[in-house]
Amino acid sequence: MTTESNLPKGAPKGLELSDSEVAKARSEGAKEAVKETAKEAYIAATDGEQAGDVSGEKYPGSEDIQLWSHWIDMPVAEFEKAVADKDRIADEKVAGLLKLERAGQNRTPYVKALCKRLKVKSPYEVTSAGPDYTNDVTSVSKL
């Protein structure tokens, strides 16, 4: 029988365990420790990705946008027409333009055209760049 003198430091006083209960508890603790170690090793080996996780960027290659960056300088009507043409520009480049526009001028018609092409309700589905609003560029007068 385990007495108070045999209990680990900090164990509640008055608790008496049989030798078989102590052995069983140690065995269960050891199994849990092995499970935790195995889990940590697996996570480290897979860069934190669990089996079945869907990860990675939704639009791989969207950061390589330099050749298309001049598109956001087009007039709105021309830009909307160009972005809508799926044969002219790939989705990942449209996503890159959205990231660029949101991080830069963040103009409403450009952001809307890009979101429409990607079929997303919010630019935040593609990028975290930009504030909670877009900049209205509609003319207020003939000037």
Side-chain angles (χ1 to χ4, degrees):
M1 199 129 322
T2 303
T3 61
E4 289 179 17
S5 62
N6 293 357
L7 291 175
K9 195 172 191 178
K13 296 202 184 251
L15 179 65
E16 290 190 25
L17 298 174
S18 68
D19 290 338
S20 64
E21 289 174 316
V22 170
K24 183 178 178 184
R26 283 188 179 149
S27 173
E28 289 173 7
K31 288 177 186 176
E32 288 299 315
V34 169
K35 285 181 186 178
E36 280 299 313
T37 303
K39 181 179 177 183
E40 290 170 9
Y42 176 77
I43 290 171
T46 59
D47 293 329
E49 296 178 16
Q50 297 292 330
D53 280 354
V54 177
S55 64
E57 193 171 341
K58 186 174 181 179
Y59 299 100
S62 64
E63 300 299 325
D64 185 20
I65 194 66
Q66 189 172 9
L67 294 175
W68 290 268
S69 63
H70 67 280
W71 280 37
I72 60 174
D73 295 328
M74 292 180 182
V76 175
E78 186 180 337
F79 179 79
E80 289 172 339
K81 185 177 178 183
V83 166
D85 187 356
K86 290 186 179 191
D87 293 331
R88 196 166 172 195
I89 187 169
D91 285 349
E92 62 268 7
K93 301 309 175 192
V94 174
L97 287 173
L98 179 58
K99 291 175 183 182
L100 190 63
E101 181 64 26
R102 289 285 290 161
Q105 296 181 48
N106 193 29
R107 298 162 292 180
T108 304
Y110 291 83
V111 172
K112 283 185 176 181
L114 293 162
C115 286
K116 181 179 178 182
R117 162 65 192 276
L118 295 173
K119 295 180 176 96
V120 295
K121 293 181 181 181
S122 167
Y124 289 117
E125 293 179 46
V126 178
T127 179
S128 61
D132 290 341
Y133 59 88
T134 55
N135 298 314
D136 186 12
V137 292
T138 55
S139 300
V140 239
S141 68
K142 292 182 181 180
L143 296 174

